[in-house]
Every structure is written in C-alpha cells, then in structure tokens.
Amino acid sequence: MFPADASTVYNKKPTFSWYVSGSPNGITGYELVYSTSDVFAAPVTTTETPTVTSFTPSSDLTPGSNYYWKVKSTYATLPASSFSPVFVFTVNPGAAPIQPILGGPTDNLVVPTSEPTLAWKVNAEPNASMTYELELADNENMQNSSVISDITTTYQKVSGLHNDQNYYWRVRSKNADGSYSEYSGMGKFYAKFSVTAVDNELVIPQKFTVEQNYPNPFNPTTTIRFALPEASFVILKIYNMLGQEVKTLVNGQRNAGTYNVQWKGDNDFGQKVSSGTYIYRVIAGTHIFTKKMILLR
C-alpha cells in the first residue's frame, strides 16, 4: 500500500505498509525486502515482522535514491507465499541528485537501428542545474564503456552500434557541486538493424511474445511489437492506471507472424491524452500479456 509505486516520500524513515487480500489465517509473519537496486542486488535489507502489516526502518533512507520493495507472507507449516509485485519510490532529494529510473530500451528489446534513443525518468522534481551521465557498453561489466556527460534531457540518442550485438547501459544524475546519484538499474537491448531474407519465406515465430514498447518513455508515438506462432483473434488495448480503457489498437483476426503497432498517445476519439503511466494489454487466444509504458508530454 505505502510507499506507493512511482511515488515520492518526504520522510527518511517511511513506514512500509501492506495488506492481505485473502484470509490471514495461518500467517506467522511477513518478510519485507527493499533495496536501491531494481534487481535487489546488494545492499539489500531483509526484515521479518510478526503479523503486523507494517514496518518502519530504524535508520534513514538516502535522499534522492530509489527504493524497490516487495513483501511475502510466511507460515509455520506451509511454504512462504510468492512475493507481492515490486513497487519503487523515491526519497525526497532536497538538494541531492536523483537516482534515475530506466525507461527503454531494456529487457532484451530488439532495437532495429544503429542510432537508438535511450530514455529514463526521475520520480522527483529535479533542480535546475542537475544533468545526467550515460554509460554504454557491449558487456555487463561495463568494460571499455562509452560515457556521455552533461546531458540536460531525460533521453539521449547514441550512434555507431554494431549489428547483432547486445548492449548494456545505465545512467546517473549529477549536481552542479559535482555530487552524483547512485546509478540506475542496468538496461540491456539487442541491436538488430539489418535482416537478410531466407528464400523469401516468411519466418513464423516459435512462441507468442509481447515486447516492451519502444521508445519508452515516449513522445509523441511508440511502437508495440508482438509475435503470433499461429493465427489468432487479437485484442490490443491501452488503459490508464485507474483501469479505464483509453484506446483500442487491434481487435480482430491476425495470421501468424510478427506485428508492429503504433500508438500516438491518443484516445478512441483522437484526443491527445496527458502525461503519465499507461498499461497495454495484448490478448491472443488464451495468452494475455500486460506491460507498462510512460508518456511524457
């Protein structure tokens, strides 16, 4: 429940709180995990609470840092539950630099260009002098990386990428006094910008997939890519964070193949929608995929 996803908290010792949607019978406690790493790499704080559904840290959280958190319930004689969805919040930075959150491309997205635009966001209001530093490499250890400094926007176009190559990237912010934030999480994408046809045959996907939209965050348009291993009736719709339907992009039968669908940030009436986080859902037969995306005006 709190801190809510994509929120800013103004208390350095915020009280984490949650609830159980079913019966709490049999629950002996809860395990809360939080970290400034989006993959919960070190340092990670793990704490166990009794049956109280809240926890307040004993020490201050770092201003300007993002904290990712999740919780699960434990039982005396049964295995623990699955973890809740992961929420991320930002501690009010004050004068500190703000740790960025990656937008895209990430999650092994295939990027069909040698000059992609990398994008990120911050959950709190940055000060006027804050800039960003982007690091890009062809290995996850960031050896021999390229660094672009003094970026004044939350996106940066890069060039000179090699075809059929994985790339890793991260970003941090910098204040005028030379202080840096922690790095964002690590993004990974695959550059594939030239395709050779094989005997002019259509390549049929092996499984149903839905990729993260690109670019993300975006303005004014973004592309949603999905693959069908067989003919299916497909529904692709956009929703706001209240669950209200915004736009229907696909609603009909589609043959097996790979599809790229553009969304122009508008609703079913052709009106431009406001900045914020939106959800796109792809339904094909019994398969359902749901992902988030960010529109920045």
Side-chain angles (χ1 to χ4, degrees):
M1 292 176 59
F2 184 85
D5 195 26
S7 66
T8 300
V9 299
Y10 295 86
N11 184 347
K12 295 179 183 179
K13 295 179 181 178
T15 296
F16 295 84
S17 62
W18 56 92
Y19 69 95
V20 177
S21 57
S23 171
N25 292 340
I27 295 177
T28 57
Y30 300 93
E31 182 178 313
L32 169 70
V33 182
Y34 60 94
S35 173
T36 56
S37 165
D38 59 343
V39 293
F40 294 91
V44 177
T45 300
T46 300
T47 184
E48 294 187 9
T49 70
T51 53
V52 177
T53 55
S54 63
F55 173 78
T56 302
S58 59
S59 57
D60 289 351
L61 302 187
T62 305
S65 290
N66 301 318
Y67 284 85
Y68 299 81
W69 72 283
K70 58 185 179 180
V71 64
K72 66 181 179 180
S73 53
T74 57
Y75 298 81
T77 59
L78 297 173
S81 73
S82 300
F83 273 109
S84 66
V86 176
F87 278 11
V88 57
F89 65 92
T90 303
V91 181
N92 181 43
I98 308 169
Q99 182 184 9
I101 297 174
L102 295 189
T106 60
D107 300 325
N108 295 311
L109 180 72
V110 177
V111 175
T113 175
S114 63
E115 298 183 340
T117 297
L118 312 185
W120 55 92
K121 67 171 185 173
V122 290
N123 274 346
E125 185 67 28
N127 61 66
S129 62
M130 197 176 80
T131 58
Y132 302 95
E133 180 180 278
L134 170 69
E135 186 175 17
L136 176 69
D138 60 6
N139 62 91
E140 59 185 337
N141 296 321
M142 306 306 285
Q143 296 177 345
N144 302 315
S145 63
S146 299
V147 177
I148 304 175
S149 302
D150 300 323
I151 303 169
T152 57
T153 58
T154 55
Y155 57 88
Q156 176 65 39
K157 187 175 184 178
V158 297
S159 60
L161 303 190
H162 298 290
N163 193 25
D164 288 331
Q165 177 69 60
N166 284 317
Y167 284 93
Y168 301 81
W169 67 286
R170 60 185 182 178
V171 64
R172 61 181 178 175
S173 65
K174 179 183 178 182
N175 274 357
D177 61 5
S179 59
Y180 286 94
S181 73
E182 297 184 63
Y183 273 110
S184 66
M186 183 75 72
K188 179 184 178 183
F189 63 92
Y190 183 69
K192 180 72 173 179
F193 45 84
S194 65
V195 179
T196 302
V198 180
D199 297 330
N200 294 321
E201 292 183 0
L202 176 65
V203 178
I204 302 299
Q206 297 299 305
K207 63 180 181 178
F208 175 65
T209 59
V210 177
E211 296 182 5
Q212 185 65 49
N213 64 299
Y214 177 77
N216 185 46
F218 69 95
N219 182 23
T221 63
T222 190
T223 299
I224 300 169
R225 181 183 177 93
F226 63 90
L228 303 175
E230 59 186 19
S232 302
F233 191 91
V234 179
I235 300 173
L236 169 53
K237 292 188 176 185
I238 311 295
Y239 299 86
N240 62 25
M241 293 303 291
L242 298 177
Q244 298 167 327
E245 183 178 324
V246 174
K247 179 82 171 183
T248 299
L249 295 175
V250 179
N251 186 20
Q253 188 72 21
R254 294 293 186 272
N255 293 325
T258 301
Y259 294 85
N260 295 297
V261 181
Q262 272 199 342
W263 183 41
K264 298 180 180 179
D266 59 348
N267 60 23
D268 281 327
F269 303 100
Q271 301 165 327
K272 296 298 182 182
V273 298
S274 60
S275 297
T277 301
Y278 291 86
I279 295 170
Y280 60 97
R281 176 175 294 170
V282 182
I283 303 175
T286 59
H287 301 287
I288 301 175
F289 267 74
T290 301
K291 292 180 179 289
K292 291 181 181 180
M293 58 183 167
I294 300 170
L295 171 60
L296 297 177
R297 292 294 187 190

